[in-house]
Amino acid sequence: MVARDVIDGAAASAPRTLVYRQSAWTRATHWIWAASLFFLLLSGLQIFNAHPTLYIGDQSGFEFDNSVLSIGAQKADTSVVGVTKALGLTFDTTGLLGVSGERAEHRAFPAWATIPSYRDLGTGRVVHFFFAWVLVATLGVWLVAGILNGHLRRDLVPRLSDMRALPRDLADHLKLKFHHTREYNTLQKLAYAGILFVLLPLMIATGLAMSPGANALMPWLPELLGGRQTARTIHFVAMLLLVGFFVIHMLMIVAAGPINEMRSIVTGWYRIDRREPMTGG
Amino acid sequence: MRTPHLSRRALLSAAGAAGSGLLLSGCDAFGLLEGSDSVVRSTLERANDLTYRVQRLLLGADRLAPEFAESDIRQGQRPNGVTSPADQDYQDLLAGDFADWRLEVGGLVERPLSLSRDQLLAMPSRTQITRHDCVEGWSTIAKWTGVPLALVLDLAMVKPQARFVVFHCMDTIERSLSGQFRYYGSIDMIDARHPQTILAYGLNGRPLPVENGAPLRVRVERQLGYKMPKYLQRIELTDSFAGLGFGKGGYWEDRGYDWFAGI
């Protein structure tokens, strides 16, 4: 393991240890993902706005009801309200979903949440598919690099010892007690592995399951996912999970020390707790 | 490691070019995407060419779109776009139950055709239960009956230099200050000769209704709905989109939709 001691500040009371934690591959792919997921999310909401209802099965029910979520607008006494229906429950979401903006526009997701801001399905698709290719290519590069340089095996795949440490790790996180080590803790491993090995591949699979061309090539794929419309619903739910991950990711960075965390994903160097035993590597 | 390194660099520069363009655009952050001549947009659009090439590479010419069972037909086929053409020539043909209607086949063919509905009905037909995927995101399952387009193309003896089949329609889809636009669209010869590509005159065991494109529409089952024009009048074989609409190969393509809509 590469490590170096630096004298921190004039007091020099406690020398701090920086370790090289994130390789250039990890840092570059991380930031390309961040950018692509941003554009994929906002262009995806533009595409969703073209038909803001989600269904279960292979087709959309117009003469029968198999919808699980719909975002629309309804006439009230003197105005129009945004109405969101999810799993049989109805919510008034005026201002955010269904009806939004100064001119009370009828649109599922508001203008500030879509690319482009105005209604343009064609351009939303152009942006979405460009960044879908970027995401897939980056995932491929990351996978090859991660296998070759040991990042996957060393840092991401949870070991038995990790699973044994899970209850304590969970308790530490709840107490906002963070350990700064070269290795990821169990929850980090589970979160990152879950995103990279489960959620992003699921996103790609459900995206492909919506493509008529890909359906002809792999008819088993939409079938496996419960039909084309179920795949579209899963695609949407996976988006919500990714947004949820992003929020927690940001909170954790703030809680664990934003400067140290940002330095490691920008420069690769991470300050570890001095008293932490140097394991592995 | 050379290859991954190069592809990462290519990716970074492509994403960087796209990103910097987006950041430069000022008040509407994504205004540069507007208009099909924008540099950012045309850069991003190259991903569609990649999709087209990859699908043509992986997807055999005759690989079928999934077909379904009778029991999967649970509703009428939801129509979209124009559902009742107001055009006088169409209304006259409809009043005569399309007895005077002809399908013209021309352009890069050895033998131009003018087919009546009876002549089309007398040709071998194909019936398929397929799922219609709209670009908006919804889908419906229905049974379609019609003449395989390949048979009509063979009858017309397509010249080898033909690259695209263009469908000219009878419905005016847009009346605006810039003029009146009748729907049109195009597909390549691989989609045109695909076994499931039919000129459909029947829907769910009945004659094709007006709202779904009577008397004749196209079904291209490995494509999205906007690639399947309704109210067919003329089929043109061509090697270029120049001189057609705004030159992008279709009404929606002229307005920013991707020409290859296999995704």
Side-chain angles (χ1 to χ4, degrees), chain A residues 209-229:
Chain A
M210 281 185 267
S211 152
N215 279 188
L217 186 66
M218 307 172 281
W220 46 266
L221 182 63
E223 220 166 295
L224 191 74
L225 292 162
R228 185 196 194 240
Q229 291 299 323

Side-chain angles (χ1 to χ4, degrees), chain B residues 175-241:
Chain B
R175 290 181 174 81
S176 65
L177 288 177
S178 41
Q180 292 194 8
F181 298 96
R182 283 193 161 187
Y183 200 89
Y184 81 103
S186 61
I187 55 176
D188 68 4
M189 297 309 293
I190 291 174
D191 271 340
R193 291 196 168 279
H194 184 261
Q196 284 171 324
T197 297
I198 59 174
L199 300 173
Y201 46 70
L203 171 60
N204 290 335
R206 308 174 72 96
L208 188 67
V210 168
E211 56 180 15
N212 297 108
L216 198 68
R217 75 171 301 171
V218 192
R219 295 297 310 169
V220 191
E221 304 295 355
R222 301 189 302 186
Q223 284 278 9
L224 294 177
Y226 71 89
K227 300 299 291 185
M228 313 186 202
K230 305 190 284 190
Y231 316 112
L232 285 189
Q233 182 170 48
R234 184 161 59 91
I235 291 176
E236 179 185 359
L237 278 296
T238 180
D239 59 354
S240 155
F241 298 143

Side-chain angles (χ1 to χ4, degrees), chain A residues 148-166:
Chain A
L148 293 181
N149 66 22
H151 173 52
L152 299 191
R153 182 178 35 79
R154 188 181 60 239
D155 302 325
L156 286 172
V157 178
R159 299 201 189 89
L160 201 61
S161 56
D162 290 311
M163 298 322 288
R164 278 202 209 99
L166 182 60

Side-chain angles (χ1 to χ4, degrees), chain A residues 141-220:
Chain A
V141 168
W142 173 84
L143 195 64
V144 171
I147 289 170
L148 293 181
N149 66 22
H151 173 52
L152 299 191
R153 182 178 35 79
R154 188 181 60 239
D155 302 325
L156 286 172
V157 178
R159 299 201 189 89
L160 201 61
S161 56
D162 290 311
M163 298 322 288
R164 278 202 209 99
L166 182 60
R168 204 193 61 194
D169 194 37
L170 204 60
D172 284 351
H173 271 86
L174 290 172
K175 283 182 272 184
L176 294 180
K177 204 169 93 185
F178 295 100
H179 306 282
H180 301 89
T181 63
R182 163 66 184 77
E183 278 71 41
Y184 294 144
N185 59 55
T186 306
L187 284 179
Q188 272 181 304
K189 284 189 180 184
L190 290 176
Y192 299 156
I195 296 293
L196 291 157
F197 296 126
V198 180
L199 216 47
L200 293 183
L202 183 67
M203 220 35 164
I204 294 163
T206 49
L208 285 173
M210 281 185 267
S211 152
N215 279 188
L217 186 66
M218 307 172 281
W220 46 266

Side-chain angles (χ1 to χ4, degrees), chain B residues 101-149:
Chain B
W101 170 83
R102 293 283 182 286
L103 175 71
E104 311 288 338
V105 183
L108 294 173
V109 294
E110 303 286 354
R111 204 172 73 176
L113 306 174
S114 175
L115 300 168
S116 71
R117 194 165 61 161
D118 287 344
Q119 282 174 298
L120 284 165
L121 284 167
M123 289 176 73
S125 72
R126 189 182 200 283
T127 294
Q128 58 205 25
I129 300 173
T130 50
R131 194 188 60 225
H132 178 97
D133 295 330
C134 178
V135 65
E136 293 166 2
W138 52 265
S139 25
T140 48
I141 292 171
K143 181 162 75 174
W144 301 94
T145 304
V147 186
L149 176 58

Side-chain angles (χ1 to χ4, degrees), chain A residues 6-27:
Chain A
V6 291
I7 305 302
D8 190 69
S13 53
R16 292 180 176 184
T17 307
L18 288 179
V19 294
Y20 190 62
R21 192 192 207 198
Q22 310 291 6
S23 75
W25 295 102
T26 307
R27 288 176 279 139

Side-chain angles (χ1 to χ4, degrees), chain B:
Chain B
M1 293 302 283
R2 181 161 287 264
T3 312
H5 183 73
L6 282 174
S7 66
R8 187 187 64 160
R9 178 175 293 175
L11 276 172
L12 278 170
S13 56
S20 60
L22 293 169
L23 290 175
L24 282 172
S25 57
C27 50
D28 188 340
F30 303 105
L32 274 194
L33 290 168
E34 216 162 348
S36 46
D37 50 351
S38 109
V39 179
V40 176
R41 201 185 197 283
S42 50
T43 305
L44 299 185
E45 270 178 356
R46 286 161 72 180
N48 291 334
D49 302 337
L50 183 62
T51 306
Y52 176 63
R53 262 177 264 146
V54 169
Q55 280 206 16
R56 283 285 174 264
L57 192 71
L58 296 178
L59 197 55
D62 289 346
R63 190 79 77 105
L64 298 181
E67 296 195 12
F68 296 82
E70 290 274 353
S71 58
D72 293 316
I73 306 170
R74 300 179 59 190
Q75 56 189 347
Q77 172 62 32
R78 181 182 169 87
N80 207 11
V82 174
T83 53
S84 172
D87 308 70
Q88 194 54 52
D89 46 354
Y90 180 84
Q91 286 297 329
D92 292 344
L93 289 169
L94 175 63
D97 196 25
F98 300 110
D100 298 328
W101 170 83
R102 293 283 182 286
L103 175 71
E104 311 288 338
V105 183
L108 294 173
V109 294
E110 303 286 354
R111 204 172 73 176
L113 306 174
S114 175
L115 300 168
S116 71
R117 194 165 61 161
D118 287 344
Q119 282 174 298
L120 284 165
L121 284 167
M123 289 176 73
S125 72
R126 189 182 200 283
T127 294
Q128 58 205 25
I129 300 173
T130 50
R131 194 188 60 225
H132 178 97
D133 295 330
C134 178
V135 65
E136 293 166 2
W138 52 265
S139 25
T140 48
I141 292 171
K143 181 162 75 174
W144 301 94
T145 304
V147 186
L149 176 58
L151 295 182
V152 175
L153 297 181
D154 288 344
L155 205 61
M157 300 165 71
V158 174
K159 292 181 182 174
Q161 63 266 40
R163 294 177 58 203
F164 308 107
V165 179
V166 181
F167 304 104
H168 296 278
C169 305
M170 294 183 276
D171 57 319
T172 299
I173 183 160
E174 184 183 328
R175 290 181 174 81
S176 65
L177 288 177
S178 41
Q180 292 194 8
F181 298 96
R182 283 193 161 187
Y183 200 89
Y184 81 103
S186 61
I187 55 176
D188 68 4
M189 297 309 293
I190 291 174
D191 271 340
R193 291 196 168 279
H194 184 261
Q196 284 171 324
T197 297
I198 59 174
L199 300 173
Y201 46 70
L203 171 60
N204 290 335
R206 308 174 72 96
L208 188 67
V210 168
E211 56 180 15
N212 297 108
L216 198 68
R217 75 171 301 171
V218 192
R219 295 297 310 169
V220 191
E221 304 295 355
R222 301 189 302 186
Q223 284 278 9
L224 294 177
Y226 71 89
K227 300 299 291 185
M228 313 186 202
K230 305 190 284 190
Y231 316 112
L232 285 189
Q233 182 170 48
R234 184 161 59 91
I235 291 176
E236 179 185 359
L237 278 296
T238 180
D239 59 354
S240 155
F241 298 143
L244 288 166
F246 300 149
K248 298 280 175 67
Y251 172 79
W252 284 114
E253 290 87 335
D254 285 341
R255 281 146 193 86
Y257 280 45
D258 37 331
W259 176 77
F260 183 72
I263 194 157

